[in-house]
Amino acid sequence: MKKILFASSAIVAVAFAGQASASEKIKLAVGGYMEQWAGFTDQDVDATGGRYNAFQSDTEVYFRGSTTLDNGIEIGAVIELEGETSGDQVDEQYLFVNGGFGRFELGKNDSAADAMGVTAPAVGPVGVNDGDITNWANVEMIDTVPSSGDQNRATYYTPVFGGFRAGVSFADDSNRNGASSYNDKAGTGDNIVSAGLEYKGDFDGWSLGLSAEGENQDEDNWYGAGVNVGFGNFTVGGSYGNVDPDAGDETDAFDIGVSYAMDAAAVSLTYGYEETGDNEVQAVDLGFAYTLGAGVAWKSSVFWFDEEDTVDNDGYGVVTGIRLDF
């Protein structure tokens, strides 16, 4: 632990070494997004307490800013606020240091494994892989990149070498993810180590994206991999994830999909499957997106799902709405 803290301090010290002051004080710019959806679901088993709402929304406001020191190193901050929440109002907050040595992040943020994971293409508002299907239906969420989420952590990304980039994260499980207030003694104390490797390449008429990622927390482990291939207006891809817990059943999940983009419109078809013990869940999402203007997109999904567990459930749904990016 002392070695990790020393290494982290050394990177920050190098960034500030010999600097009397930055060229100018950091100014935060405002950005974010708003999503407003309307939809319905027809299913065999409603959620406990009744049906899901016909209207769903999600909004976040970002504050981001940086400054470049005299030695060319960039230092900045990111703060993300939830527009509506019953838990943690601040989604992510961290500082970053960029330079020829790579990128260093310190604060509440996703792990390197989560940030670098590649999954099947999907353009609709629901999705089948770590998407919003659980907002509309009483079904288990499929997830091939089941990371520990936003935690107070340190993350390092290498520079890009020939299209390859690696990343590693360390957290001490402060129980910050989803907490309504910070408590530095509330976590389990289990160290969370995450790592990822990605490749991005553009060639003559086609592109390739690859990822391999994993995470360890105490005796619980997960790992995964993904690939996307783009050619012309098409993107084809998929991903696989495995969770091997210390106690309980092992989980296997995968997704596969294809998308087609033409001018302002895009359409995708994605299938996802997950198995944990005797529980099996599968889902299909047909997604559509159309850019109405700068930062304005109309998106829709038609989805189907089937879950076989203690209580079997299957059904379908339709969701449409607008996403604003600002």
Side-chain angles (χ1 to χ4, degrees), residues 75-283:
I75 297 180
V78 177
I79 304 169
E80 299 184 0
L81 301 181
E82 292 281 359
E84 52 179 284
T85 178
S86 59
D88 193 358
Q89 189 70 47
V90 178
D91 183 30
E92 296 178 357
Q93 54 82 16
Y94 61 93
L95 66 82
F96 62 86
V97 181
N98 277 330
F101 50 81
R103 179 181 175 93
F104 178 79
E105 297 176 353
L106 184 63
K108 180 172 178 264
N109 196 12
D110 294 322
S111 69
D114 194 6
M116 304 177 84
V118 172
T119 60
V123 302
V126 175
V128 299
N129 191 348
D130 193 19
D132 291 335
I133 192 170
T134 55
N135 291 344
W136 301 96
N138 185 27
V139 60
E140 187 74 19
M141 181 175 67
I142 300 169
D143 192 358
T144 61
V145 189
S147 80
S148 54
D150 298 328
Q151 297 275 354
N152 284 318
R153 68 175 86 242
T155 300
Y156 170 70
Y157 296 101
T158 68
V160 178
F161 297 105
F164 287 93
R165 186 177 70 140
V168 61
S169 300
F170 173 82
D172 63 354
D173 186 19
S174 61
N175 202 30
R176 192 69 177 102
N177 188 27
S180 59
S181 61
Y182 180 68
N183 185 333
D184 61 358
K185 303 179 184 65
T188 63
D190 297 330
N191 295 334
I192 305 174
V193 180
S194 311
L197 177 66
E198 67 179 11
Y199 173 81
K200 295 180 180 180
D202 289 314
F203 305 96
D204 186 15
W206 65 285
S207 63
L208 176 65
L210 301 170
S211 75
E213 58 279 341
E215 190 169 271
N216 168 265
Q217 181 175 359
D218 194 19
E219 297 300 322
D220 294 338
N221 301 277
W222 72 264
Y223 61 87
V227 56
N228 274 341
V229 179
F231 50 94
N233 294 330
F234 287 93
T235 300
V236 178
S239 64
Y240 169 79
N242 174 274
V243 179
D244 185 13
D246 180 42
D249 295 318
E250 188 174 359
T251 296
D252 286 293
F254 72 88
D255 72 347
I256 186 170
V258 57
S259 67
Y260 179 81
M262 182 178 63
D263 297 327
V267 63
S268 65
L269 180 64
T270 313
Y271 171 80
Y273 175 85
E274 183 171 289
E275 179 180 359
T276 305
D278 295 331
N279 181 43
E280 295 183 30
V281 56
Q282 56 184 329

